[in-house]
Amino acid sequence: MRELRTHRLLLRPFAREDLPALARIAAEEETRGFMCDGGREAAAVEAAIERWLRGYREGLGQLAMILCEDGRLIGHCGLERREGRVVLSYALHKDHWCKGLAPEACREVLRYGFEELGIEEVWTATRPENRAWRGMMERLGMGLREEGSGEVRYAVSRGDFLRRRAAVGAR
């Protein structure tokens, strides 16, 4: 797994030394439901980091979201294999919400998955009431594919993402 960069973010593989910073983010009430499968205890965060480290062998896993301006770890974003699908997820410290950082990170992770790993389709899921996540996925070109069991699932194909990216880049 390699580092990815955007204008404002460094997305790099996690290290075990990141546990305290990530645990602080996971412990926040507003953020914890979106992190590490909802776990907020240090043990759950540590287990998530260990799972991500194992996933790096195939080029997948969550990446530490580092703010370039000051080097702080502010969240995570990445791709993981779950139930036979490649799934996009992220979590961001609440102080950095509504600044465009989440879509910036997700867009770069999708680009990496489609262009560099050759993934054919990426999925994501959230609760139906999470309008912010749903709107961001739609702006990234993902379409609603499944609803039910308190969850909605969105997906985008490699071809659709790359066509959309080329059209946006042509403007």
Side-chain angles (χ1 to χ4, degrees), residues 23-24 26 41 53 56 68 77 86 95 104-105 117 136 159:
R24 277 191 300 276
E41 295 78 25
L53 293 173
Y56 293 156
C68 288
C77 184
V86 176
D95 290 349
E104 186 174 319
L117 298 180
M136 186 177 79

Side-chain angles (χ1 to χ4, degrees), residues 16-160:
R16 288 177 183 87
E17 296 77 27
D18 294 320
L19 177 60
L22 191 60
R24 277 191 300 276
I25 296 168
E28 291 188 11
E29 189 67 30
E30 295 92 341
T31 306
R32 77 177 161 127
F34 307 106
M35 283 200 68
C36 307
D37 299 326
R40 69 191 230 182
E41 295 78 25
V45 177
E46 185 174 19
I49 288 177
E50 291 300 325
R51 186 179 73 241
W52 300 337
L53 293 173
R54 287 189 304 274
Y56 293 156
R57 288 187 283 264
E58 68 172 313
L60 299 177
Q62 295 295 313
L63 297 169
M65 195 184 302
I66 309 296
L67 201 56
C68 288
E69 70 184 35
D70 61 13
R72 275 186 299 150
L73 191 152
I74 60 170
H76 67 78
C77 184
L79 301 170
E80 295 180 80
R81 198 169 300 282
R82 294 186 195 157
E83 300 173 11
R85 294 175 170 168
V86 176
V87 177
L88 170 71
S89 63
Y90 87 96
L92 184 63
H93 185 282
K94 67 180 180 176
D95 290 349
H96 300 283
W97 290 359
C98 301
K99 297 179 181 180
L101 293 167
E104 186 174 319
C106 289
R107 191 175 298 108
E108 178 59 17
V109 165
L110 286 169
R111 185 211 58 77
Y112 167 76
F114 290 130
E115 291 184 355
E116 297 186 35
L117 298 180
I119 293 168
E120 288 300 320
E121 188 171 56
V122 173
W123 287 76
T124 193
T126 191
R127 295 181 304 272
E129 66 273 12
N130 190 344
R131 299 235 181 262
W133 175 253
R134 294 179 73 172
M136 186 177 79
M137 291 302 100
E138 291 167 4
R139 287 187 300 280
L140 290 172
M142 299 183 98
L144 180 61
R145 300 280 179 85
E146 298 175 358
E147 295 183 73
S149 303
E151 186 173 80
V152 291
R153 295 179 183 196
Y154 286 75
V156 64
S157 70
R158 181 176 191 265
D160 287 347

Side-chain angles (χ1 to χ4, degrees), residues 3-12 63-68 72 104:
E3 291 183 351
L4 306 175
R5 289 191 177 269
T6 70
H7 180 67
R8 299 179 291 171
L9 297 170
L10 166 65
L11 302 167
R12 64 156 173 79
L63 297 169
M65 195 184 302
I66 309 296
L67 201 56
C68 288
R72 275 186 299 150
E104 186 174 319

